[in-house]
Amino acid sequence: SALNRANGIRSLISRLSTSIEARHWWDLASWFTVAAGVAVRLFLFFDRRSLWWDETALASGVTNFGMNGLMPEALGGQTGPLGFVFLSRLLVELFGPHEFVYRTVPLIGGVGLLFVARLVVREIINIPLVQIWTLSLFAFSPILAHYSQEFKQYSSDAFASALVIFIGLWIW
Protein backbone atom coordinates (compact mmCIF):
# COMPACT_ATOMS: atom_id res chain seq x y z
CA SER A 1 0.00 0.00 0.00
CA ALA A 2 1.00 3.65 -0.32
CA LEU A 3 1.53 3.97 3.43
CA ASN A 4 3.97 1.04 3.49
CA ARG A 5 5.92 2.52 0.56
CA ALA A 6 6.10 5.92 2.25
CA ASN A 7 7.36 4.32 5.46
CA GLY A 8 9.92 2.34 3.45
CA ILE A 9 11.18 5.50 1.75
CA ARG A 10 11.42 7.31 5.10
CA SER A 11 13.37 4.38 6.52
CA LEU A 12 15.77 4.37 3.56
CA ILE A 13 16.37 8.13 3.81
CA SER A 14 16.94 7.81 7.55
CA ARG A 15 19.51 5.03 7.05
CA LEU A 16 21.28 7.01 4.33
CA SER A 17 21.36 10.11 6.51
CA THR A 18 23.01 8.41 9.46
CA SER A 19 25.65 6.37 7.64
CA ILE A 20 29.16 7.84 7.89
CA GLU A 21 30.04 6.51 4.47
CA ALA A 22 26.87 8.03 3.05
CA ARG A 23 27.83 11.39 4.60
CA HIS A 24 31.11 11.19 2.70
CA TRP A 25 29.28 10.60 -0.59
CA TRP A 26 26.82 13.39 0.11
CA ASP A 27 29.74 15.72 0.81
CA LEU A 28 31.33 14.78 -2.51
CA ALA A 29 27.99 15.20 -4.29
CA SER A 30 27.56 18.68 -2.82
CA TRP A 31 31.03 19.73 -4.00
CA PHE A 32 30.30 18.24 -7.42
CA THR A 33 27.06 20.26 -7.56
CA VAL A 34 28.92 23.46 -6.67
CA ALA A 35 31.59 22.70 -9.30
CA ALA A 36 28.94 22.05 -11.95
CA GLY A 37 27.22 25.34 -11.07
CA VAL A 38 30.54 27.17 -11.37
CA ALA A 39 31.11 25.51 -14.77
CA VAL A 40 27.68 26.70 -15.98
CA ARG A 41 28.50 30.25 -14.91
CA LEU A 42 31.94 30.19 -16.51
CA PHE A 43 30.48 28.83 -19.75
CA LEU A 44 27.99 31.71 -19.85
CA PHE A 45 30.69 34.21 -18.85
CA PHE A 46 32.94 33.20 -21.75
CA ASP A 47 30.04 33.03 -24.24
CA ARG A 48 30.97 36.59 -25.30
CA ARG A 49 27.48 37.98 -25.76
CA SER A 50 27.22 41.76 -26.19
CA LEU A 51 26.15 44.11 -23.43
CA TRP A 52 22.45 45.00 -23.38
CA TRP A 53 21.32 48.63 -23.43
CA ASP A 54 20.92 48.95 -19.65
CA GLU A 55 24.27 47.23 -19.11
CA THR A 56 25.87 49.64 -21.58
CA ALA A 57 24.38 52.64 -19.77
CA LEU A 58 25.75 51.41 -16.45
CA ALA A 59 29.13 50.54 -18.01
CA SER A 60 29.35 53.98 -19.61
CA GLY A 61 28.70 55.65 -16.28
CA VAL A 62 31.20 53.47 -14.46
CA THR A 63 33.84 54.10 -17.13
CA ASN A 64 33.37 57.79 -17.90
CA PHE A 65 32.92 59.28 -14.45
CA GLY A 66 35.34 59.47 -11.56
CA MET A 67 34.72 57.76 -8.25
CA ASN A 68 32.85 60.85 -7.02
CA GLY A 69 30.55 60.81 -10.06
CA LEU A 70 29.16 57.32 -9.58
CA MET A 71 25.72 58.48 -8.57
CA PRO A 72 22.51 57.40 -10.40
CA GLU A 73 22.28 60.55 -12.53
CA ALA A 74 25.84 59.94 -13.77
CA LEU A 75 25.11 56.29 -14.54
CA GLY A 76 22.66 56.85 -17.38
CA GLY A 77 19.72 56.43 -15.02
CA GLN A 78 20.94 52.99 -13.97
CA THR A 79 21.52 52.41 -10.31
CA GLY A 80 23.27 49.80 -8.25
CA PRO A 81 24.53 49.31 -4.72
CA LEU A 82 27.51 51.56 -4.05
CA GLY A 83 29.78 48.60 -3.27
CA PHE A 84 28.93 46.99 -6.61
CA VAL A 85 29.48 50.24 -8.54
CA PHE A 86 32.74 51.13 -6.76
CA LEU A 87 34.16 47.60 -7.12
CA SER A 88 33.24 47.65 -10.83
CA ARG A 89 34.95 51.02 -11.22
CA LEU A 90 38.05 49.72 -9.44
CA LEU A 91 38.26 46.76 -11.84
CA VAL A 92 37.83 49.10 -14.83
CA GLU A 93 40.68 51.25 -13.48
CA LEU A 94 42.91 48.20 -13.05
CA PHE A 95 42.08 46.22 -16.22
CA GLY A 96 40.38 48.61 -18.63
CA PRO A 97 36.84 48.95 -19.98
CA HIS A 98 36.12 45.50 -21.41
CA GLU A 99 32.95 43.41 -21.29
CA PHE A 100 34.72 40.70 -19.30
CA VAL A 101 35.85 43.28 -16.75
CA TYR A 102 32.33 44.66 -16.34
CA ARG A 103 30.94 41.16 -15.83
CA THR A 104 33.59 40.05 -13.33
CA VAL A 105 31.82 41.38 -10.23
CA PRO A 106 28.55 39.59 -11.10
CA LEU A 107 30.51 36.40 -11.81
CA ILE A 108 32.23 36.59 -8.43
CA GLY A 109 28.84 37.13 -6.80
CA GLY A 110 27.29 34.17 -8.62
CA VAL A 111 30.15 31.82 -7.81
CA GLY A 112 30.35 33.04 -4.22
CA LEU A 113 26.62 32.41 -3.86
CA LEU A 114 27.15 28.71 -4.59
CA PHE A 115 29.79 28.32 -1.89
CA VAL A 116 27.78 30.21 0.72
CA ALA A 117 24.57 28.39 -0.28
CA ARG A 118 26.34 25.08 0.34
CA LEU A 119 27.19 26.21 3.87
CA VAL A 120 23.67 27.49 4.55
CA VAL A 121 21.99 24.37 3.14
CA ARG A 122 24.18 22.04 5.21
CA GLU A 123 23.39 24.10 8.30
CA ILE A 124 19.60 24.17 8.02
CA ILE A 125 18.70 20.93 6.20
CA ASN A 126 19.45 17.60 7.87
CA ILE A 127 18.61 15.18 5.04
CA PRO A 128 21.53 14.89 2.60
CA LEU A 129 19.35 14.09 -0.42
CA VAL A 130 17.34 17.25 0.19
CA GLN A 131 20.59 19.20 0.69
CA ILE A 132 21.81 18.16 -2.75
CA TRP A 133 18.44 18.89 -4.35
CA THR A 134 18.31 22.35 -2.75
CA LEU A 135 21.90 23.12 -3.71
CA SER A 136 21.07 22.02 -7.27
CA LEU A 137 18.35 24.67 -7.38
CA PHE A 138 21.01 27.31 -6.72
CA ALA A 139 23.55 25.74 -9.09
CA PHE A 140 21.28 25.22 -12.09
CA SER A 141 18.72 28.01 -11.77
CA PRO A 142 18.59 29.67 -15.20
CA ILE A 143 17.92 33.04 -13.61
CA LEU A 144 20.78 32.86 -11.11
CA ALA A 145 23.15 31.59 -13.81
CA HIS A 146 22.07 34.33 -16.24
CA TYR A 147 22.55 37.15 -13.77
CA SER A 148 26.01 35.83 -12.92
CA GLN A 149 27.17 37.04 -16.31
CA GLU A 150 25.10 40.19 -16.77
CA PHE A 151 26.51 43.57 -15.70
CA LYS A 152 23.84 44.13 -13.08
CA GLN A 153 23.98 43.74 -9.32
CA TYR A 154 21.48 40.89 -8.95
CA SER A 155 23.94 38.03 -8.41
CA SER A 156 25.87 40.19 -5.95
CA ASP A 157 22.59 40.87 -4.12
CA ALA A 158 21.87 37.13 -3.92
CA PHE A 159 25.41 36.47 -2.66
CA ALA A 160 25.13 39.20 -0.01
CA SER A 161 21.73 37.88 1.12
CA ALA A 162 23.06 34.32 1.47
CA LEU A 163 26.09 35.65 3.34
CA VAL A 164 23.88 37.55 5.80
CA ILE A 165 21.84 34.38 6.37
CA PHE A 166 24.99 32.34 6.95
CA ILE A 167 26.40 34.91 9.40
CA GLY A 168 23.06 34.97 11.20
CA LEU A 169 23.07 31.17 11.50
CA TRP A 170 26.69 31.18 12.61
CA ILE A 171 26.09 33.81 15.32
CA TRP A 172 22.86 32.26 16.48
Side-chain angles (χ1 to χ4, degrees):
S1 82
L3 184 58
N4 287 338
R5 278 182 278 169
N7 286 336
I9 291 172
R10 276 192 215 113
S11 174
L12 175 64
I13 290 174
S14 176
R15 280 183 278 149
L16 286 174
S17 298
T18 57
S19 166
I20 292 173
E21 185 176 317
R23 276 281 179 206
H24 175 72
W25 286 108
W26 291 119
D27 198 44
L28 286 176
S30 70
W31 282 117
F32 176 78
T33 304
V34 168
V38 170
V40 167
R41 282 152 180 76
L42 288 174
F43 176 80
L44 292 172
F45 181 77
F46 289 112
D47 192 35
R48 300 186 55 96
R49 72 167 184 81
S50 298
L51 293 173
W52 294 48
W53 179 85
D54 56 341
E55 291 177 286
T56 304
L58 184 58
S60 176
V62 166
T63 302
N64 296 324
F65 295 95
M67 292 297 250
N68 293 332
L70 293 178
M71 297 300 113
E73 60 275 359
L75 297 174
Q78 298 295 313
T79 61
L82 287 179
F84 173 82
V85 173
F86 283 121
L87 186 55
S88 298
R89 174 60 187 199
L90 177 65
L91 290 175
V92 167
E93 287 289 324
L94 292 173
F95 302 108
H98 305 288
E99 289 181 15
F100 284 130
V101 174
Y102 294 126
R103 291 184 170 141
T104 299
V105 174
L107 178 67
I108 292 169
V111 169
L113 171 64
L114 296 176
F115 286 93
V116 175
R118 181 183 179 275
L119 296 172
V120 170
V121 164
R122 289 188 62 94
E123 188 70 28
I124 63 176
I125 299 174
N126 293 326
I127 301 170
L129 183 61
V130 178
Q131 290 175 356
I132 300 303
W133 181 78
T134 305
L135 190 56
S136 295
L137 294 176
F138 283 96
F140 303 115
S141 165
I143 293 171
L144 290 174
H146 171 76
Y147 283 125
S148 293
Q149 54 84 40
E150 186 169 298
F151 185 50
K152 300 297 278 181
Q153 74 277 6
Y154 307 128
S155 66
S156 303
D157 289 347
F159 169 70
S161 299
L163 192 59
V164 167
I165 292 169
F166 175 71
I167 290 170
L169 290 169
W170 184 67
I171 290 173
W172 186 29

